[in-house]
Amino acid sequence: MEYKLLDGKATAAAIRAEIKQEVEDIVANGGRRPSLTAILVGNNPASKTYVANKEKACADAGFTSKVIRLPEETGEEELLETIRSINEDPAVDGLIVQLPLPRHIDEQKVIAAIDPSKDVDGFHPISQGKMLIGQDTFLPATPMGILTLLERYNIETKGKNCVVLGRSNIVGRPVANLLSRKGYPGDCTVTMCHSRTKDIERFAKEADIIIAAIGIPFFVKEDMVKEGAVIVDVGINSIEDSSRKSGYRLVGDVDFDKVAPKCSYITPVPGGVGPMTIASLLQNTLKAYKNRK
Ligand code: L34
């Protein structure tokens, strides 16, 4: 089958251009710029890349942004103190703490310390609770990016069988909830599969839409996929590749080369969900800015 790419990079670029235009208009009318602060603790190489990409996206869009880089050995109380001071800083609209955090820090405690009105990651229990019952709030960036991508490509979702592989708080669980909501893009019949699911293949094969977010390279094989399925690959796994200068390359949770020919639409990795995550973060930061005005 002739498949089409769900081009996250291009879609994110379009959204970023729209945001940039809106910010230019705000500034031309004498308004202040939206502002994001990101906290990065430690030296996780992937996190460094993602935060650097966010910083650049903010600059491109005309946002003010700041990255607070803290050493790996930063204590939990010091991090909480930093968050509290940013909560109170009227110049900051959005605050994110890049995950994962070093093991000695309690992630849930840190997330709960963020002022929900600045919680542009949508990870705070209040944000997640509002999302769950369909109230207006910040949606977590990766699930939001996935929905936007489906929307911009006019992918039909009503009544579709959607299988979400993964149950994490930042992707699997929220995206399953959002796709089951009333309206578009939603109205799916959602099945959430995970590491304890018996016979994942059986569920995956029934899916019209697969959201793969398990973090295992090449997990989704061609014999697990129905002809004509739509696949969103959330995985970003680094695997050794001696033919590359860097010695590694990024692959998703889907065995793309074998699976893509069976799909109607599929996201690439890189250039799929990753860039959409960043575009959604900008959208949320602009929303936080507008809420405060
Ligand atoms: N607090 N932690 C918090 N918020 C988030 O929204 C995230 N996430 C996830 C990890 N931890 C987080 C991100 O920022 C994943 N994520 C993220 C962001 C950007 C990219 C990937 C994941 C991204 O830019 N991906 C590029 C390739 C980047 C590369 O070269 O490594 C892509 O094309 O997929």
Side-chain angles (χ1 to χ4, degrees):
M1 184 169 182
E2 195 69 51
Y3 68 88
K4 294 196 186 73
L5 275 186
L6 293 169
D7 188 338
K9 197 173 173 188
T11 306
I15 292 167
R16 285 165 59 174
E18 290 162 20
I19 293 172
K20 181 188 170 86
Q21 184 59 55
E22 196 171 337
V23 172
E24 275 175 20
D25 294 345
I26 290 169
V27 173
N29 288 310
R32 129 188 114 74
R33 294 177 184 278
S35 112
L36 176 72
T37 292
I39 302 179
L40 173 59
V41 185
N43 304 304
N44 182 310
S47 296
K48 279 184 177 172
T49 304
Y50 303 158
V51 169
N53 290 351
K54 291 174 182 183
E55 203 175 8
K56 179 171 185 306
C58 281
D60 289 349
F63 290 13
T64 315
S65 79
K66 182 166 162 189
V67 178
I68 298 178
R69 293 182 172 80
L70 299 173
E72 183 80 24
E73 57 280 3
T74 301
E76 185 177 277
E77 192 47 46
E78 188 186 344
L79 178 57
L80 293 171
E81 214 27 74
T82 307
I83 292 169
R84 286 181 203 121
S85 74
I86 300 163
N87 283 344
E88 280 161 25
D89 183 347
V92 176
D93 301 303
L95 167 60
I96 65 167
V97 180
Q98 188 70 20
L99 303 180
L101 288 169
R103 273 203 307 277
H104 65 276
I105 299 176
D106 180 344
E107 263 175 22
Q108 288 311 317
K109 216 164 153 182
V110 168
I111 290 167
I114 297 171
D115 181 336
S117 73
K118 299 190 178 188
D119 177 35
V120 289
D121 261 335
F123 291 169
H124 192 284
I126 288 183
S127 308
Q128 296 217 40
K130 285 184 170 176
M131 179 197 69
L132 196 66
I133 59 175
Q135 288 183 1
D136 181 54
T137 185
F138 300 111
L139 300 180
T142 301
M144 177 175 167
I146 293 168
L147 263 66
T148 305
L149 196 55
L150 296 174
E151 199 174 3
R152 296 243 171 174
Y153 279 85
N154 293 310
I155 305 288
E156 179 68 74
T157 57
K158 186 170 44 180
K160 299 295 181 188
N161 291 332
C162 175
V163 167
V164 176
L165 305 175
R167 55 178 160 182
S168 72
N169 286 338
I170 74 172
V171 186
R173 204 170 288 284
V175 84
N177 171 256
L178 292 168
L179 285 168
S180 71
R181 298 211 301 203
K182 205 184 260 298
Y184 185 75
D187 287 328
C188 287
T189 304
V190 178
T191 306
M192 208 186 330
C193 296
H194 47 73
S195 56
R196 299 291 181 270
T197 299
K198 288 183 183 152
D199 204 356
I200 281 201
E201 288 80 352
R202 185 168 65 83
F203 291 102
K205 256 203 110 82
E206 289 295 313
D208 303 305
I209 301 171
I210 295 177
I211 313 288
I214 27 175
I216 303 174
F218 309 118
F219 181 86
V220 177
K221 309 275 191 218
E222 76 231 79
D223 57 351
M224 293 170 63
V225 174
K226 182 165 87 174
E227 197 71 40
V230 174
I231 300 194
V232 176
D233 189 351
V234 187
I236 312 188
N237 311 292
S238 177
I239 64 163
E240 268 181 51
D241 183 346
S242 53
S243 73
R244 300 288 176 101
K245 230 182 13 221
S246 60
Y248 71 90
R249 77 186 154 105
L250 296 179
V251 298
D253 291 347
V254 179
D255 191 350
F256 185 94
D257 293 341
K258 301 241 177 61
V259 170
K262 292 190 81 173
C263 296
S264 55
Y265 291 90
I266 184 168
T267 58
V269 176
V273 173
M276 291 303 297
T277 297
I278 294 181
S280 303
L281 174 66
L282 296 185
Q283 288 177 308
N284 277 343
T285 304
L286 186 57
K287 179 184 170 83
Y289 168 87
K290 289 176 180 170
N291 286 348
R292 291 182 65 229
K293 278 190 34 176

